[in-house]
């Protein structure tokens, strides 16, 4: 039982009939060299990933993460992942990490090495950062132009907008810009003023008595945490909706959250330097629900 925990994976083709995958998993010392210099994931960010939470030994939302990995592979023309193998790799890792506390489990499928092994894959589990303060106190958020108009994903699929690719340099730059402006996080807008998502989270708002998130039309990720949040809200009898949200609607919302797998739900408490109403009791209840998920 240890962290960090690293597993190199020999990906099998999606149509393989193999059922036991243990011989395709290779445990690594997390500080030992593991990737070749020619890796296209490190040279070009050419690969996809998922990060899921493991809470007290329970991996959360495994199937939605696996299905998003598959969808990202299709968008990026990567070899389609063998879902049973990935499910087995997650179970293999979860059985070997501490069964208490919150863990971030990241898994990566890379285009591999030019003229070498391809694709390549690995999984890496680390202790999650302590997010208790932001879960309790919320985040100050700025809006930033993502630079693309609405509908760009359909017109320019080579931008890979709906795939969770490894190329997060832009996303990290947006968070640094938020810090430069005295805020904690960012909400991306389309060039024509529609709400997209955060650099590492989905956006949900409460507006006119319903809970709304921008439709995952191809330009943004379909967040697994946002889907859990909608299940929770539906079970409480609330109305939930996927639809376009303008920045003006966001500014006038009754509450808004950034939600993601490891940080979970954090309330927006300021938007572009203006105080924003937060529903902390709902945020607390939602995070208790999210932490207690068992599948
Ligand atoms: N959107 C982006 C760009 C993300 O990077 C993430 C998560 O990292 C999300 C949304 C939220 O997805 P999930 O709730 O599945 O973690």
């Amino acid at each position: 039982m240890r962290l960090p925990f690293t597993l190199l994976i020999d990906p099998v083709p999606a149509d393989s009939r193999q059922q036991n995958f243990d011989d395709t998993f290779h445990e690594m010392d997390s500080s030992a060299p593991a990737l070749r210099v020619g890796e296209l994931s490190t040279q070009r960010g050419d690969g996809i990933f998922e990060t899921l939470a493991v809470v007290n030994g329970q991996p959360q939302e495994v199937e939605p993460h696996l299905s998003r990995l598959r969808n990202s592979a299709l968008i990026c023309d990567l070899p389609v992942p063998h879902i049973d193998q990935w499910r087995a790799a997650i179970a293999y890792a979860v059985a070997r990490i501490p069964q208490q506390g919150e863990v971030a489990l990241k898994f990566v499928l890379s285009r591999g090495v030019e003229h070498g092994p391809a694709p390549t894959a690995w999984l890496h589990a680390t202790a999650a950062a302590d997010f208790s303060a932001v879960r309790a106190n919320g985040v100050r958020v700025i809006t930033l132009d993502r630079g693309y108009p609405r509908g760009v994903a359909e017109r320019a699929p080579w931008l890979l907008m709906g795939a969770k690719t490894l190329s997060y340099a832009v996303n990290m730059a947006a968070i640094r810009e938020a810090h430069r402006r005295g805020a904690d996080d960012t909400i991306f807008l389309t060039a024509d003023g529609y709400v997209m998502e955060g650099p590492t989270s989905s956006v949900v708002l409460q507006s006119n008595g319903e809970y709304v998130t921008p439709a995952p039309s191809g330009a943004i990720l379909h967040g697994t945490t946002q889907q859990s949040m909608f299940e929770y809200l539906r079970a409480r009898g609330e109305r939930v909706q996927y639809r376009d949200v303008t920045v003006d609607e966001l500014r006038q919302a009754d509450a808004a959250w950034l939600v993601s797998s490891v940080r979970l739900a954090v309330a927006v408490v300021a938007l572009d330097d203006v105080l924003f109403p937060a529903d902390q009791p709902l945020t607390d209840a939602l995070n208790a629900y999210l932490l207690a998920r068992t599948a």
Side-chain angles (χ1 to χ4, degrees), residues 49-53 65 68 104-107 164 224 261-262:
F49 77 104
E50 285 293 324
T51 303
L52 59 75
H65 281 285
R68 194 168 63 190
L105 194 157
K106 179 170 183 170
F107 45 105
K164 195 166 167 66
T224 61
S261 293
V262 182

Coordinates of all heavy atoms in Angstrom, one line a residue, residues 49-53 65 68 104-107 164 224 261-262:
F49 N -5.9 11.8 -21.6 CA -5.8 11.3 -20.2 C -7.1 11.5 -19.5 O -8.1 12.1 -20.0 CB -4.7 12.1 -19.4 CG -5.1 13.5 -19.0 CD1 -5.4 13.7 -17.7 CD2 -5.1 14.5 -19.9 CE1 -5.8 15.0 -17.3 CE2 -5.5 15.8 -19.5 CZ -5.8 16.0 -18.2
E50 N -7.2 10.9 -18.3 CA -8.3 11.0 -17.4 C -7.8 11.1 -16.0 O -6.7 10.5 -15.8 CB -9.3 9.8 -17.5 CG -10.2 9.8 -18.7 CD -11.2 10.9 -18.8 OE1 -11.7 11.3 -17.7 OE2 -11.4 11.4 -19.9
T51 N -8.4 11.8 -15.1 CA -8.1 11.8 -13.7 C -9.3 11.5 -12.9 O -10.3 12.2 -13.1 CB -7.5 13.1 -13.3 OG1 -6.4 13.4 -14.1 CG2 -7.1 13.0 -11.8
L52 N -9.3 10.4 -12.2 CA -10.4 10.1 -11.3 C -10.0 10.1 -9.9 O -8.8 10.0 -9.6 CB -11.2 8.8 -11.7 CG -10.4 7.5 -11.7 CD1 -10.2 6.9 -10.3 CD2 -11.3 6.5 -12.5
A53 N -11.0 10.3 -9.0 CA -10.7 10.3 -7.6 C -10.9 8.9 -7.0 O -11.8 8.1 -7.4 CB -11.6 11.3 -6.8
H65 N -15.5 7.8 -16.8 CA -14.1 8.2 -17.2 C -13.7 7.3 -18.4 O -13.0 7.8 -19.3 CB -13.2 8.1 -16.0 CG -13.3 9.3 -15.1 ND1 -12.8 10.5 -15.4 CD2 -13.9 9.4 -13.9 CE1 -13.0 11.4 -14.4 NE2 -13.7 10.7 -13.4
R68 N -15.3 8.4 -21.5 CA -14.7 9.7 -22.1 C -13.3 9.4 -22.7 O -13.0 10.0 -23.7 CB -14.7 10.7 -21.0 CG -14.4 12.1 -21.5 CD -14.7 13.2 -20.5 NE -13.8 13.1 -19.4 CZ -13.9 13.9 -18.3 NH1 -14.9 14.7 -18.2 NH2 -13.0 13.7 -17.3
A104 N -5.7 11.0 -6.3 CA -5.9 11.3 -7.7 C -5.2 10.3 -8.5 O -4.0 10.1 -8.4 CB -5.3 12.7 -8.0
L105 N -6.0 9.6 -9.3 CA -5.5 8.5 -10.2 C -5.6 9.0 -11.6 O -6.7 9.2 -12.2 CB -6.3 7.3 -9.9 CG -5.8 6.0 -10.5 CD1 -6.4 4.8 -9.7 CD2 -6.1 5.8 -11.9
K106 N -4.4 9.2 -12.2 CA -4.4 9.8 -13.6 C -4.0 8.6 -14.5 O -3.1 7.9 -14.2 CB -3.4 10.9 -13.6 CG -3.2 11.5 -15.0 CD -2.3 12.7 -14.9 CE -2.2 13.4 -16.2 NZ -1.6 14.8 -16.1
F107 N -4.7 8.5 -15.7 CA -4.3 7.5 -16.6 C -4.2 8.1 -18.0 O -5.0 9.0 -18.4 CB -5.1 6.2 -16.6 CG -6.6 6.3 -16.5 CD1 -7.4 6.1 -17.6 CD2 -7.2 6.7 -15.3 CE1 -8.7 6.2 -17.6 CE2 -8.6 6.7 -15.3 CZ -9.4 6.5 -16.4
K164 N -10.0 15.2 -24.2 CA -9.2 15.5 -23.0 C -7.8 15.2 -23.3 O -7.2 14.1 -23.0 CB -9.7 14.8 -21.8 CG -9.2 15.3 -20.4 CD -10.0 14.7 -19.3 CE -9.3 15.0 -17.9 NZ -9.3 16.4 -17.5
T224 N -17.7 14.4 -15.7 CA -18.3 13.3 -14.9 C -18.8 13.8 -13.6 O -19.8 13.3 -13.1 CB -17.2 12.2 -14.6 OG1 -16.2 12.8 -13.8 CG2 -16.6 11.6 -15.9
S261 N -13.4 16.2 -10.8 CA -13.3 14.9 -10.1 C -12.6 14.9 -8.8 O -13.0 14.2 -7.9 CB -12.6 13.9 -11.0 OG -13.4 13.7 -12.1
V262 N -11.5 15.7 -8.6 CA -10.7 15.6 -7.4 C -11.0 16.7 -6.5 O -11.2 16.5 -5.3 CB -9.2 15.5 -7.8 CG1 -8.4 15.3 -6.5 CG2 -8.9 14.3 -8.7

